[in-house]
Amino acid sequence: MSADTGALVTIERVHAARDVAEEVGLDLLVLTPGSDLRYLSGYDAHAMERLTALAVPRRGEPFLVVPRLEAPMVGASPAGALDLEVLAWDETDDAFALLARAATGRLGSAPARVAVGSRTWAEHALGVQRALPGSALELAGPVLDRLRMVKTAAEIEELATAGAAIDRVHARMAELLRVGRTEAEVGADIAAAILAEGHVAVDFTIVGSGPNGASPHHELSDRVVQAGDLVVVDIGGELPSGYRSDCTRTYVVGGEPDAETAEWYAVLQEAQRAACAAVRPGIAAEEVDAVARRVITDAGWGEHFIHRTGHGIGLDTHEAPYIVAGNDLTLVPGMAFSVEPGIYLAGRCGARIEDIVVCTDDGVRSFNSGSHELVRLPG
């Protein structure tokens, strides 16, 4: 069951962003269509050349700048329940000047430090800068990441729903992944299954068979699945609420793994298990990565683990916190992320095991429950 929208989006989120902005010395946040805007307001606006933006000054009330032809869509979205002032602009108006005047009026003077979302279109960021020529433009990540990293109970249940849905897709792999089918054919059927199991959009379908499994972000190809292939299946989608799934399992199709493969796959299993077990409040993100990496390195396969152990997930499939060396961020309850070590043998094959987990008050909760074994499919 998807969470009630009101439990996910509240005006308190917007006010929290305002408070953090003031704390870090930012005068104004400007958030254009994308996950940051959706996170704060619930408005899933379409990105285009016309300016849509949520403006959050460090003093005064936030407001939305939207094209007049799209203003009714704001009221029909969860943003309509937040009682935000909507400044609608016409085709011949300067939307950036409108935003600048409204923000300056609330602040009492032109903002000196203005932050835009990390994925704001360049033409929008430069438009804001032109309208506020005395301002210094920077990224809003220090504000939005800080808020979005720690999930609420409602967000956690959305991620749990997403995890269960993608688990159901993996449970259908015996009917989808067979010898003689191309990766593209398997991927198309997986995409249909992702939608059938409760997602409204497919984010990605990676089907890396045989040597293609050694490429972690392999694109679907016309390679035909062969008997005995290891096949890496990494899939994810989006729920109606915008929250995401992401889960990887590795299969062997129509055959048995050789002794060496069975040996290093067992190492991978232990690395993933140990990293998940290490998750708890107070541990650094980089230490979770180190736990997985030590297991693989100590067994002699370290050079074949070529990416970070994990990434945060929520309204974006990849967001903070990142589980990687050099990130000394301390985990706290509510932080949700993947744990996905892999071993990749170039030109031969690869394997990855990925679960989405959340740090809890006393440890960790996984949103995926499928087997971590090297799953044998009949082919």
mmCIF file of all heavy atoms in Angstrom, residues 8 108 114 258 294 342 374 379:
data_model
loop_
_atom_site.group_PDB
_atom_site.id
_atom_site.type_symbol
_atom_site.label_atom_id
_atom_site.label_comp_id
_atom_site.label_asym_id
_atom_site.label_seq_id
_atom_site.Cartn_x
_atom_site.Cartn_y
_atom_site.Cartn_z
ATOM 1 N N LEU A 8 3.829 12.294 3.172
ATOM 2 C CA LEU A 8 5.110 12.444 2.495
ATOM 3 C C LEU A 8 5.496 13.904 2.295
ATOM 4 O O LEU A 8 6.670 14.264 2.382
ATOM 5 C CB LEU A 8 5.060 11.738 1.132
ATOM 6 C CG LEU A 8 5.036 10.220 1.163
ATOM 7 C CD1 LEU A 8 4.677 9.665 -0.204
ATOM 8 C CD2 LEU A 8 6.383 9.671 1.613
ATOM 9 N N GLY A 108 13.965 42.009 2.017
ATOM 10 C CA GLY A 108 14.242 43.411 2.315
ATOM 11 C C GLY A 108 15.432 43.965 1.556
ATOM 12 O O GLY A 108 15.702 45.163 1.592
ATOM 13 N N VAL A 114 22.750 32.783 -3.384
ATOM 14 C CA VAL A 114 21.596 32.099 -3.962
ATOM 15 C C VAL A 114 22.028 30.689 -4.350
ATOM 16 O O VAL A 114 23.060 30.509 -5.005
ATOM 17 C CB VAL A 114 21.072 32.844 -5.203
ATOM 18 C CG1 VAL A 114 19.890 32.099 -5.811
ATOM 19 C CG2 VAL A 114 20.669 34.273 -4.832
ATOM 20 N N ASP A 258 31.434 -23.231 -12.609
ATOM 21 C CA ASP A 258 32.636 -24.037 -12.361
ATOM 22 C C ASP A 258 33.140 -23.759 -10.945
ATOM 23 O O ASP A 258 32.633 -22.879 -10.235
ATOM 24 C CB ASP A 258 33.713 -23.764 -13.406
ATOM 25 C CG ASP A 258 34.163 -22.310 -13.450
ATOM 26 O OD1 ASP A 258 34.195 -21.642 -12.387
ATOM 27 O OD2 ASP A 258 34.490 -21.819 -14.549
ATOM 28 N N ARG A 294 37.261 -5.223 2.205
ATOM 29 C CA ARG A 294 38.249 -6.063 2.900
ATOM 30 C C ARG A 294 38.003 -7.537 2.627
ATOM 31 O O ARG A 294 38.941 -8.310 2.402
ATOM 32 C CB ARG A 294 38.233 -5.786 4.402
ATOM 33 C CG ARG A 294 39.031 -4.562 4.827
ATOM 34 C CD ARG A 294 39.288 -4.562 6.327
ATOM 35 N NE ARG A 294 38.067 -4.425 7.096
ATOM 36 C CZ ARG A 294 37.558 -3.251 7.492
ATOM 37 N NH1 ARG A 294 38.169 -2.117 7.164
ATOM 38 N NH2 ARG A 294 36.464 -3.211 8.211
ATOM 39 N N GLY A 342 30.445 -6.022 -5.999
ATOM 40 C CA GLY A 342 30.475 -6.845 -7.202
ATOM 41 C C GLY A 342 31.881 -7.322 -7.507
ATOM 42 O O GLY A 342 32.865 -6.733 -7.040
ATOM 43 N N LEU A 374 23.714 -17.845 -5.945
ATOM 44 C CA LEU A 374 23.822 -17.812 -7.394
ATOM 45 C C LEU A 374 22.682 -18.685 -7.922
ATOM 46 O O LEU A 374 22.762 -19.905 -7.939
ATOM 47 C CB LEU A 374 25.172 -18.344 -7.840
ATOM 48 C CG LEU A 374 25.483 -18.326 -9.340
ATOM 49 C CD1 LEU A 374 25.338 -16.930 -9.913
ATOM 50 C CD2 LEU A 374 26.903 -18.837 -9.593
ATOM 51 N N GLY A 379 16.937 -22.823 -17.831
ATOM 52 C CA GLY A 379 17.384 -22.506 -19.182
ATOM 53 C C GLY A 379 16.352 -22.814 -20.236
ATOM 54 O O GLY A 379 16.566 -22.579 -21.419
#
